[in-house]
Amino acid sequence: MAEKIEFKTEVNKLLDIVINSLYSEKYIFLRELISNASDALDKLKYWKLTNPELTTASGELRILITPDKENNTLTISDNGIGMNRDDLINHIGTIAKSGTSEFLQNAKDNESAIDLIGKFGVGFYSAFMVAEKVEILTRRADTKQAYLWVSNGTNGFEISEAEKESNGTDIKLYLKEDAKDFTDTIYLRNIIHTYSEHIDYPIVLNLGEAGEETVNRAAALWTRNKADITEKQYKDFYQHVTKNFDDPWMTLHFKAEGSLEYTGLLFIPTKAPYDLFQPDRLTGIKLYVNKVFISDKVEGLMPAYLRFVKGVIDSADLPLNISREMFQQNALIAKIRQGVVSRLFKELKKKAQNEDDYEIFWKAFGIAFKEGIYEDFANREEVAGLSRFYSTKSVDKLISLDQYIERMTAEQKEIYYITGDDAQTLFCNPMLDAFKQKGIEVLLLTDPIDEFWTQTLLSYKGHELKHISQAKIDLSFDRNEVKADDEGLKLLMEKMGEWFKEDAGKVEATDKLTKSPASLTVEDGQMSIHLERLMRNHQQKTNFDSTRILLINPYHPLIIKLSELIKQEEKKDEVKSAAELILAQAKIAEGEAVSNPGAFSEQLCSFILKACGE
Ligand code: ADP
């Protein structure tokens, strides 16, 4: 008796996208199904090793492609792990992976759908681009019971018990009228050559009476000689392991020799994935032991800040039958990680010589990469050296810390930075006035993560890293301007201290400002205003405010004027009102909100009116 099961809503939506918008790249279904078959063979290989009692599975592992011109069908078979009834329902009938809703949101247009297909476990559904009906006949390697799954891609699917001689899966596609080409052996051979050449198992074309023909070389790509691999083959393999559709930005293929031998074929994508910052996305590396796929979840294999690196690591020196969990603590894994990380750094350094190309990498992965400065204690200088920043002297071209050091001024010892929400706002921060005046470069750091690594990386190549508010450098410069008179200034600052108790713990005069009358900062060693704001926004902060200091520029005409007026009792209200505007302005320059926007704008209007002569 066949059991009828409806597709989940999201599957219906997905099928709709797959069937209706992926029309231009129909052949990708074959790559997807071959890829699934290859995964199923990988799983069986591992299963057999760890469960020696499993005897059902036999025969050479392979993928068989059978076109049938007469009946207009195409069957993709594998003698891999197979599926039982639950597997069929859980893996094929639903989209189990998180991120489905993101897929559906993002895949509004054709191009992004193609880009995203495969990443969310939608690979199988691509069969419906070419098939009006799909049958899956499958038997799991640990049972004799087979199942038949049938669907036309619109009204759910049916499952019934069935007979199958051996373990594995046959996926039979009843081709649509316009997909008849896929029974043509020349065409099929061509597609397999182009897209699945790197597959580790023989892909055999069933030519009926003419026999069988193995189409690919069936040698795991990473085991082959570099010189024999074309860029195209690397790219296809990259797309196979990552399920991405872009080009690899970097390809690194190496053999490590010595006491511990392993091979790595690693890639950095060109584009950042949507889930770069999802906490469960910790690794992108598939671990093989002597060509047997073990796991793609071995956490210790790659540090989390390099989670965007994808590919394969294969070592014959690892124990094969320890459990996947055990790998986490394995000392050899830690050793491999060390070796791989240093190779990656070396390669990145090479790539960094081409600044424009490196910028592509930095813009996609820089934020994640910088986590390494505080996570990877041993390598933090390396990571910092490979990091890129904007600065007051380079607002739209990224620079390195080494470039920064090269152009430090003669008296400068420290590396200066300022943190905030965006580079343009930061660039106009009044606290930078004196630095600009003296030609001292300041890094403009705008990622939330910058607040954290700057607390750990205390120096780089012997130069201390300092927030500008903590700069130990003489920032005074010759001023031949008029200064507010001492007595008036003192009184003004006293009054401001009283009025603005809430906003500033202290009011101090400074000679670091030029164009601005005032600026806000914090006491040495305290949490910066920007970090406080970040934490406030994430509700992580309640009441541990740093002591804010309102810095006053005694050379500014406004301050000079107010220092005069404050001495006249009858002008007190006017001065207070003007001082309030100065405070608000200082807050805005820091990226803070004014306490009472309504009152602020009223006050501002009345001042403007006065200025207009009203
Ligand atoms: P993905 O391959 O990204 O997981 P698919 O939609 O292509 O997504 O496949 C969903 C799941 O169905 C696979 O993860 C696997 O568990 C199962 N599956 C698909 N094809 C096969 C097959 N040939 N043999 C065994 N299981 C398969």
Side-chain angles (χ1 to χ4, degrees):
M1 246 305 277
E3 185 185 349
K4 192 156 173 29
I5 302 176
E6 289 301 317
F7 284 129
K8 295 251 163 78
T9 329
E10 72 262 20
V11 176
N12 277 326
K13 277 192 199 152
L14 194 63
L15 277 163
D16 190 53
I17 292 171
V18 166
I19 295 167
N20 296 315
S21 34
L22 293 170
Y23 45 85
S24 57
E25 317 239 356
K26 280 202 171 66
Y27 53 82
I28 69 164
F29 85 90
L30 191 57
R31 182 180 78 178
E32 298 293 323
L33 297 185
I34 289 178
S35 182
N36 282 350
S38 159
D39 288 348
L41 295 170
D42 271 351
K43 283 182 198 156
L44 180 66
K45 216 158 132 192
Y46 180 77
W47 238 31
K48 280 174 95 174
L49 275 161
T50 45
N51 302 282
E53 73 282 2
L54 200 76
T55 48
T56 36
S58 59
E60 186 202 11
L61 297 179
R62 63 178 202 160
I63 300 162
L64 185 70
I65 314 275
T66 310
D68 180 345
K69 258 200 164 64
E70 221 166 283
N71 297 307
N72 202 23
T73 64
L74 178 69
T75 307
I76 293 96
S77 312
D78 65 73
N79 50 351
I81 192 153
M83 286 176 272
N84 61 22
R85 189 178 170 278
D86 283 353
D87 292 338
L88 278 169
I89 292 174
N90 294 334
H91 298 155
I92 303 279
T94 51
I95 305 169
K97 300 213 177 109
S98 60
T100 308
S101 57
E102 276 122 298
F103 173 86
L104 294 167
Q105 271 163 16
N106 291 325
K108 286 197 187 83
D109 55 83
N110 198 8
E111 207 174 300
S112 61
I114 290 175
D115 223 35
L116 288 162
I117 195 172
K119 283 189 196 170
F120 302 86
V122 294
F124 165 77
Y125 293 99
S126 61
F128 288 102
M129 295 193 290
V130 295
E132 56 193 20
K133 184 169 93 169
V134 176
E135 280 179 10
I136 306 175
L137 178 62
T138 183
R139 192 183 122 189
R140 212 163 86 155
D142 58 354
T143 166
K144 292 244 176 310
Q145 182 62 60
Y147 292 90
L148 181 69
W149 179 104
V150 188
S151 173
N152 61 6
T154 44
N155 302 318
F157 55 91
E158 282 183 8
I159 292 188
S160 50
E161 293 188 348
E163 303 267 320
K164 189 175 181 305
E165 234 171 72
S166 57
N167 63 284
T169 304
D170 301 335
I171 297 190
K172 188 170 187 179
L173 311 178
Y174 292 81
L175 296 169
K176 291 181 186 172
E177 268 309 297
D178 62 356
K180 281 189 167 154
D181 285 356
F182 292 102
T183 55
D184 185 86
T185 46
I186 298 173
Y187 187 48
L188 284 172
R189 189 185 291 122
N190 224 330
I191 301 172
I192 297 167
H193 258 313
T194 318
Y195 295 99
S196 304
E197 170 59 28
H198 60 269
I199 294 281
D200 201 6
Y201 302 97
I203 304 173
V204 178
L205 204 50
N206 187 348
L207 304 172
E209 279 162 21
E212 293 184 342
E213 173 195 325
T214 303
V215 183
N216 65 334
R217 286 172 51 183
L221 194 72
W222 63 90
T223 61
R224 292 195 220 158
N225 230 327
K226 256 167 121 163
D228 300 337
I229 306 174
T230 63
E231 205 172 313
K232 168 90 177 63
Q233 285 169 336
Y234 276 131
K235 178 177 160 179
D236 289 335
F237 182 73
Y238 160 79
Q239 296 192 335
H240 167 68
V241 286
T242 59
K243 307 205 164 176
N244 284 355
F245 281 74
D246 58 353
D247 287 352
W249 175 78
M250 180 175 117
T251 302
L252 180 60
H253 187 185
F254 62 90
K255 263 196 181 60
E257 276 155 0
S259 60
L260 177 64
E261 299 197 352
Y262 55 92
T263 301
L265 176 48
L266 304 177
F267 303 97
I268 295 180
T270 307
K271 291 185 200 152
Y274 76 98
D275 60 352
L276 188 59
F277 293 100
Q278 273 179 14
D280 56 344
R281 217 185 134 279
L282 289 174
T283 171
I285 307 291
K286 293 183 171 204
L287 179 68
Y288 283 72
V289 172
N290 210 4
K291 296 193 4 183
V292 179
F293 173 66
I294 301 295
S295 171
D296 52 6
K297 296 186 179 63
V298 181
E299 275 178 29
L301 201 51
M302 192 65 92
Y305 69 95
L306 293 174
R307 57 190 175 274
F308 51 82
V309 178
K310 303 287 184 170
V312 168
I313 287 173
D314 189 344
S315 173
D317 291 344
L318 290 170
L320 231 183
N321 38 17
I322 68 169
S323 75
R324 295 177 193 209
E325 293 72 38
M326 286 287 286
F327 272 112
Q328 245 83 280
Q329 293 112 37
N330 191 294
L332 296 177
I333 293 288
K335 209 168 157 199
I336 292 179
R337 178 184 60 218
Q338 236 174 22
V340 169
V341 168
S342 81
R343 268 171 206 274
L344 280 168
F345 286 163
K346 223 166 109 192
E347 194 65 21
L348 281 173
K349 250 177 240 169
K350 253 193 252 164
K351 292 277 281 179
Q353 284 164 6
N354 180 340
E355 290 181 3
D356 292 341
D357 188 38
Y358 198 70
E359 188 168 316
I360 295 174
F361 159 72
W362 191 256
K363 288 195 166 152
F365 301 110
I367 302 183
F369 189 73
K370 278 188 285 188
E371 290 170 12
I373 306 179
Y374 65 83
E375 275 181 11
D376 191 347
F377 196 77
N379 288 314
R380 60 190 172 169
E381 274 225 357
E382 291 269 359
V383 181
L386 285 164
S387 296
R388 295 292 178 269
F389 312 93
Y390 292 111
S391 81
T392 45
K393 288 189 183 170
S394 191
V395 193
D396 39 38
K397 192 166 180 308
L398 291 161
I399 61 158
S400 68
L401 289 179
D402 294 290
Q403 281 167 307
Y404 179 99
I405 290 171
E406 252 168 56
R407 53 195 199 208
M408 287 193 330
T409 63
E411 80 243 71
Q412 189 185 351
K413 299 261 175 332
E414 302 164 320
I415 298 171
Y416 298 116
Y417 68 87
I418 179 169
T419 54
D421 300 328
D422 72 281
Q424 287 307 329
T425 317
L426 274 183
F427 185 75
C428 300
N429 189 303
M431 292 298 288
L432 290 173
D433 288 355
F435 290 87
K436 287 182 192 158
Q437 191 84 23
K438 300 204 82 176
I440 301 171
E441 187 165 18
V442 176
L443 302 175
L444 307 172
L445 306 182
T446 52
D447 294 320
I449 185 102
D450 295 327
E451 290 286 356
F452 300 98
W453 67 259
T454 46
Q455 304 305 309
T456 4
L457 186 80
L458 302 180
S459 69
Y460 177 77
K461 296 201 170 160
H463 300 280
E464 279 185 66
L465 202 73
K466 285 266 156 83
H467 190 276
I468 51 159
S469 63
Q470 283 148 32
K472 287 202 203 92
I473 189 168
D474 178 16
L475 287 168
S476 58
F477 45 89
D478 293 339
R479 293 188 181 254
N480 26 25
E481 302 146 277
V482 194
K483 195 175 173 188
D485 85 284
D486 285 346
E487 191 197 335
L489 184 65
K490 194 163 158 258
L491 191 60
L492 178 67
M493 290 188 349
E494 250 172 51
K495 284 287 171 210
M496 285 173 102
E498 274 170 38
W499 294 329
F500 306 144
K501 270 203 287 289
E502 303 273 300
D503 291 286
K506 281 185 187 171
V507 180
E508 290 174 2
T510 179
D511 55 4
K512 291 180 189 170
L513 297 173
T514 56
K515 294 192 209 98
S516 337
S519 175
L520 270 180
T521 184
V522 293
E523 291 254 43
D524 259 17
Q526 289 197 336
M527 191 187 290
S528 73
I529 296 176
H530 177 238
L531 179 55
E532 263 194 23
R533 183 162 64 243
L534 283 177
M535 297 184 81
R536 222 167 33 227
N537 292 345
H538 289 92
Q539 263 99 46
Q540 280 178 5
K541 201 183 106 39
T542 43
N543 56 353
F544 45 98
D545 284 9
S546 309
T547 310
R548 295 192 175 189
I549 304 172
L550 183 63
L551 296 173
I552 301 288
N553 176 5
Y555 299 95
H556 197 278
L558 244 174
I559 299 295
I560 298 176
K561 187 79 195 162
L562 292 181
S563 301
E564 275 167 30
L565 293 180
I566 191 79
K567 292 186 229 164
Q568 305 166 32
E569 185 55 34
E570 71 277 13
K571 296 278 186 194
K572 219 176 91 199
D573 287 347
E574 211 174 304
V575 174
K576 184 172 179 207
S577 196
E580 275 166 359
L581 281 179
I582 289 173
L583 172 71
Q585 198 190 337
K587 280 185 160 182
I588 291 169
E590 261 302 318
E592 292 281 277
V594 294
S595 329
N596 184 342
F600 168 71
S601 73
E602 229 172 77
Q603 243 169 347
L604 191 60
C605 282
S606 82
F607 269 85
I608 296 173
L609 272 176
K610 246 187 245 166
C612 295
E614 283 292 314

